[in-house]
Amino acid sequence: MANACKLAAGNWKMNGLRADLLEARALARAFPSPDCGILLCPPATLISAMAEAVRNTAIMVGGQDCHARENGAHTGDISAQMLADAGARHVILGHSERRADHAESSGDVAAKALAAHAAGLVTIICVGETEAERDAGKTLDVVLGQLRNSLPEKSTAANTVIAYEPVWAIGTGRTPTREQISEVHDALRGAVPDAAMSLLYGGSVKPGNAAEIFAIGNVDGALVGGASLKAEDFGAIITALEAA
Ligand code: 13P
């Protein structure tokens, strides 16, 4: 485990209605004083209600994206300041689903990150290769290129977390080998502008494989999709991280 803060982050993606806030409440009850950071990133519609539901608990709430501008004529978009105002402390940026579905470039991600930092949010910047890029031997080139171009100047361990999420491992039940995760996380550690930046792994993290993943050097936590929707599953992952 590197000398960086441990963080278990849940990305609910486009899942969750008000009734699902009970999962956040259950998590808050189960972890009154955890040995790692715990973050839930629900859809934007739930941020305010979730922040209220977990007020004065150890659970932090975050957004899944923000616009690069503070305000203006951008129908359907949400600014970083709005996320912070709703109770978010973090925001995920550059998730591969946004890079693919919304053609977000690393330059776009850097502009959003600048806005997020200005609003006082901690950014979770996602990087990761596709299967074709891995097969072509380009994994480190792709990941380090995304890292270089997605981080604004003045990114520090206090305002930035990196999440390595191989695209082919997201929602597929396939996870990279220990060596594959290790190779990328070691390279990220050498490339981040602040050595104390937390490096999360994401992609099919489950209760059954979490401990093994957290035992890998330079893995400081996880960005969890499907298994973060239920307090029981996410709780088991958090427990594994606490023990790592
Ligand atoms: P899964 O954990 O569902 O594979 O999703 C990972 C992810 O994309 C988190 O951002």
Side-chain angles (χ1 to χ4, degrees):
M1 187 68 56
N3 192 17
C5 295
K6 298 201 275 186
L7 177 65
N11 175 8
W12 279 17
K13 309 191 180 186
M14 199 172 72
N15 299 288
L17 301 173
R18 291 176 70 86
D20 299 302
L21 293 173
L22 62 84
E23 301 295 338
R25 286 194 200 93
L27 211 56
R29 277 197 304 277
F31 296 94
S33 51
D35 287 331
C36 62
I38 303 176
L39 171 71
L40 284 177
C41 299
T45 47
L46 285 183
I47 290 173
S48 180
M50 185 181 283
E52 186 58 34
V54 300
R55 197 146 62 104
N56 296 326
T57 75
I59 312 300
M60 301 178 286
V61 179
Q64 300 176 10
D65 176 51
C66 70
H67 198 276
R69 298 278 171 84
E70 246 180 60
N71 50 46
H74 302 288
T75 302
D77 282 316
I78 295 174
S79 75
Q81 212 176 21
M82 290 169 185
L83 292 179
D85 187 51
R89 291 174 53 182
H90 294 67
V91 61
I92 298 169
L93 292 175
H95 191 282
S96 60
E97 286 152 16
R98 292 210 59 90
R99 290 180 189 262
D101 298 354
H102 300 271
E104 283 187 11
S105 68
S106 292
D108 296 331
V109 175
K112 289 172 179 222
L114 206 57
H117 293 162
L121 296 175
V122 175
T123 53
I124 299 178
I125 308 284
C126 303
V127 297
E129 82 288 1
T130 63
E131 186 155 39
E133 288 165 341
R134 173 163 287 278
D135 289 347
K138 293 183 182 155
T139 298
L140 290 185
D141 277 356
V142 168
V143 167
L144 295 181
Q146 287 174 336
L147 180 78
R148 199 166 43 246
N149 296 318
S150 302
L151 261 55
E153 274 181 50
K154 299 192 185 149
S155 296
T156 67
N159 65 19
T160 306
V161 171
I162 307 299
Y164 168 54
E165 300 204 308
V167 177
W168 51 275
I170 295 176
T172 59
R174 295 169 60 200
T175 47
T177 62
R178 225 190 128 74
E179 290 70 29
Q180 287 172 327
I181 295 177
S182 188
E183 181 189 29
V184 175
H185 277 248
D186 288 355
L188 285 170
R189 179 69 67 210
V192 286
D194 180 343
M197 237 173 229
S198 297
L199 305 180
L200 311 184
Y201 167 78
S204 297
V205 178
K206 307 287 177 203
N209 61 19
E212 203 182 331
I213 291 169
F214 296 145
I216 301 170
N218 285 321
V219 174
D220 305 307
L223 181 55
V224 183
S228 72
L229 295 170
K230 294 290 170 208
E232 193 179 338
D233 290 342
F234 197 35
I237 292 168
I238 293 164
T239 301
L241 182 58
E242 285 182 307

